[in-house]
Amino acid sequence: MTDLKIFETMESEVRGYVRSFPVVFSKAKGSILFDEQGKQYVDFFSGAGTLNYGHNNPFLKQKIIDYIAADGVLHGLDMATSAKRAFMQAVERHLLQPRGWDYVLQFTGPTGTNVVEAALKLARQVKGRSNVVSFTHGFHGVSSGSLAVTANRKFREAAGVALGNVTFLPYDGYLGPDVNTLAYFERMLTDPSSGLDKPAAVIVETVQGEGGVNVATKAWLQELAGLCKQHDMLLIIDDIQVGCGRTGNFFSFDGMGIEPDMITLSKSLSGFGLPMSLLLLKPELDVWKPGAHSGTFRGNNLAFVGATHALEHYWSDGQFVQQTQQKADRVADFLENIVQSHPEAGLSVRGRGLIQGLVCTPNGLAERITQGCFERGLVIETAGAQDEVVKVLPALTIEHEVLQQGLAILENSVTAALS
């Protein structure tokens, strides 16, 4: 019997994932979690997208152990360290130079919401305007600035204060597959009586992870980028969950001919689950005064070590991209087969790369499926406004046999939930 008493009595009611996965985990390796009773669980959750390279990745772990053993600097604020220099050199070598990009790096604090806050603050400074456009079903964090651009009512109602200076517009597909929602945005921008205060910036996820694995098309994203240029708005792409290879390439918008003004990264950036976030911004936007945006934990050198070696090991050529895409194709085909096997259930599939969603009717089916998965040894979560999507989010490094094992559990759980 799992003893969760201390978590129930001492931890705040705000705790969430422990309610979905009510065991005490004691060990993790690759794509397998172990509880204190020794039961194994296949991980299709990956720390909400933080563990793209799996738990305790042996290559990255050894590099981090070596750095600690050599008494490397651990906490550095924004001082210069050898670990930070190596990371910046790796970013230049593997991310910027191959794409012909020119960005400067801002280290903003440990989590995704920190980097979104910085991007929004800077965009408003640069443009001298307060309004920002975000999209339906978008999720960007839960501190006040990032929460203002987050759409989910549950999170917004917890704020306790008014959340302003943001206009929400319909995301790609929100009004159906045949409606171009950017036509509405463009009309609002060009009509001086539309009531839309001219935005300083637009913030967007190319794939809305928490929002339900909603995928924006290349054409829609390109049109959005064009609108931003035409109307003097900054384009901020939030790649916190779907960057770092989640959709196949390192950036989720690679190959789309888009060069955002700012890019937010976090979650899997460190490669090892260590707190780290990063803002990439065009040099001409770097109007900060020294120390104007600060934070005690923006210099996590262990995270720099992990991130550097993740870039060197996985992103020095195109091999990892090909391997990820092969696994993504396998997952998408498997989910489509589940849909075809249950034509009466109204299921569908959407996603890109290794973020895939099994879309269910919003009647609790997705939650019954994920609960059944956990009982059978698979950790997986729901997403979407009504928790109607089973979100498949395995590590990019997951072994073929483990992937098959997890997919089989998912299929059995779907069948059981429908019966």
Side-chain angles (χ1 to χ4, degrees), residues 59-281:
F59 172 76
L60 301 178
K61 178 169 69 174
Q62 189 58 53
K63 296 297 184 182
I64 289 169
I65 289 172
D66 292 345
Y67 184 80
I68 294 172
D71 291 328
V73 174
L74 298 184
H75 180 270
L77 293 164
D78 68 353
M79 294 183 288
T81 65
S82 56
K84 187 175 185 179
R85 178 178 59 199
F87 170 70
M88 291 192 289
Q89 290 170 337
V91 168
E92 184 175 33
R93 183 163 55 248
H94 298 298
L95 300 183
L96 302 186
Q97 288 181 350
R99 294 166 175 82
W101 286 354
D102 185 17
Y103 288 96
V104 296
L105 311 185
Q106 182 182 351
F107 300 91
T108 58
T111 72
T113 196
N114 298 134
V115 65
V116 171
E117 294 277 359
L120 296 175
K121 186 192 292 188
L122 183 58
R124 286 167 169 142
Q125 280 192 45
V126 168
K127 293 301 179 185
R129 303 190 291 268
S130 61
N131 195 31
V132 170
V133 162
S134 189
F135 292 95
T136 51
H137 291 235
F139 180 90
H140 302 283
V142 294
S143 54
S144 59
S146 56
L147 182 56
V149 292
T150 291
N152 188 290
R153 182 185 301 165
K154 174 182 72 173
F155 297 115
R156 294 180 67 84
E157 288 181 344
V161 296
L163 299 170
N165 299 311
V166 175
T167 300
F168 283 93
L169 294 173
Y171 191 71
D172 191 15
Y174 185 75
L175 299 174
D178 300 323
V179 177
N180 178 13
T181 58
L182 292 179
Y184 172 65
F185 187 15
E186 184 173 24
R187 177 66 176 143
M188 295 280 284
L189 287 167
T190 55
D191 181 356
S193 292
S194 69
L196 174 66
D197 294 328
K198 186 170 183 179
V202 175
I203 186 167
V204 66
E205 303 158 276
T206 65
V207 181
Q208 294 182 323
E210 299 304 310
V213 196
N214 306 307
V215 180
T217 64
K218 177 179 178 180
W220 189 87
L221 290 165
Q222 288 178 330
E223 185 176 351
L224 177 61
L227 280 177
C228 287
K229 282 190 172 63
Q230 181 182 349
H231 294 278
D232 188 34
M233 304 176 295
L234 299 181
L235 176 61
I236 305 168
I237 288 191
D238 184 340
D239 244 9
I240 289 170
Q241 183 163 118
V242 297
C244 301
R246 177 52 59 182
T247 61
N249 293 308
F250 188 88
F251 295 101
S252 68
F253 53 91
D254 272 331
M256 295 185 180
I258 297 170
E259 197 170 324
D261 298 291
M262 301 185 198
I263 306 164
T264 65
L265 293 170
S266 187
K267 286 196 183 283
S268 279
L269 182 59
S270 77
F272 206 69
L274 297 169
M276 179 182 182
S277 65
L278 178 69
L279 179 64
L280 278 68
L281 61 143

Side-chain angles (χ1 to χ4, degrees), residues 248-249 313-327 396:
N249 293 308
H313 190 67
Y314 292 104
W315 300 101
S316 60
D317 56 35
Q319 187 175 0
F320 190 58
V321 174
Q322 293 177 2
Q323 294 171 353
T324 300
Q325 192 54 55
Q326 289 170 358
K327 293 171 187 175
L396 311 184

Side-chain angles (χ1 to χ4, degrees), residues 315-367:
W315 300 101
S316 60
D317 56 35
Q319 187 175 0
F320 190 58
V321 174
Q322 293 177 2
Q323 294 171 353
T324 300
Q325 192 54 55
Q326 289 170 358
K327 293 171 187 175
D329 292 342
R330 176 61 185 144
V331 172
D333 289 345
F334 198 97
L335 294 179
E336 288 290 355
N337 286 335
I338 290 177
V339 171
Q340 297 301 322
S341 299
H342 303 281
E344 76 291 344
L347 305 174
S348 61
V349 179
R350 59 180 180 236
R352 280 179 55 210
L354 277 175
I355 177 168
Q356 297 283 335
L358 181 65
V359 185
C360 307
T361 51
N363 60 358
L365 175 60
E367 291 184 87

Side-chain angles (χ1 to χ4, degrees), residues 359-380:
V359 185
C360 307
T361 51
N363 60 358
L365 175 60
E367 291 184 87
R368 293 197 300 275
I369 291 170
T370 56
Q371 182 179 357
C373 284
F374 184 70
E375 293 167 358
R376 293 173 176 84
L378 175 66
V379 173
I380 191 169

